[in-house]
Amino acid sequence: MSAMRLELALMSCIVLTTGTVGLLKASSPIPVPWRALRYGGSTPHYLPFLAPDEASFGGGWPCAHASGAFALMGLYFISRDSKRSLAWLGFAGACGLGVLYVASQVMRGAHFPSHGVWSFLLAWTICAGLYAIPFRSRLIGATSAEGPLQERRL
């Protein structure tokens, strides 16, 4: 893959991950811990996707800070076919930075740990999905009526 396509793939991972998390956060009824009723706040706590229609805006789910770091898992996917060690370094760096962001937000009372897990899962799903689109023939072993498809060199 050309450098420009790799950069576009990484940028897509970052934009789609942070955008998706931003949209979910903007419509989330889940409060941040410091506003949750059970911790002395005034907002009742709901589970994701199970809040009643009349629930007020909570804006605490998922963890947006961590999603920016976890979106860098795209580095793993753009490097995994050419430079495996660099791919794992990108994955470890993204996960380490994301965990650091989650831990700092949890210590502040701004998020529950599960918010970080959700951010990780969303980022992984989006990055893996974006990887699968241009590389799907390698993933599923595409074949044609004449036999296995040959890789084209451009």
Side-chain angles (χ1 to χ4, degrees):
M1 260 175 95
S2 71
M4 192 162 145
R5 287 185 75 187
L6 294 174
E7 292 165 1
L8 181 63
L10 180 60
M11 187 177 74
S12 298
C13 287
I14 294 169
V15 168
L16 286 173
T17 298
T18 56
T20 301
V21 168
L23 288 172
L24 287 170
K25 194 171 186 71
S27 60
S28 169
I30 300 170
V32 294
W34 62 54
R35 278 193 251 149
L37 193 59
R38 69 169 102 164
Y39 300 114
S42 59
T43 309
H45 184 78
Y46 301 107
L47 295 174
F49 311 112
L50 298 176
D53 291 338
E54 66 275 359
S56 63
F57 170 74
W61 176 86
C63 187
H65 287 82
S67 72
F70 288 138
L72 294 175
M73 281 190 290
L75 290 168
Y76 167 78
F77 289 103
I78 66 171
S79 302
R80 74 181 293 269
D81 292 329
S82 58
K83 298 178 180 161
R84 282 274 184 179
S85 60
L86 183 62
W88 285 109
L89 185 63
F91 178 78
C95 288
L97 188 59
V99 167
L100 181 68
Y101 285 174
V102 170
S104 66
Q105 292 295 81
V106 168
M107 287 189 283
R108 286 182 54 223
H111 285 287
F112 295 106
S114 63
H115 296 181
V117 173
W118 274 99
S119 293
F120 172 82
L121 293 173
L122 287 166
W124 178 262
T125 302
I126 290 167
C127 292
L130 287 172
Y131 173 78
I133 292 169
F135 297 106
R136 69 181 168 270
S137 63
R138 291 185 198 170
L139 295 175
I140 60 174
T143 59
S144 68
E146 296 86 34
L149 294 177
Q150 300 297 319
E151 181 179 40
R152 289 190 217 176
R153 303 227 181 241
L154 297 177

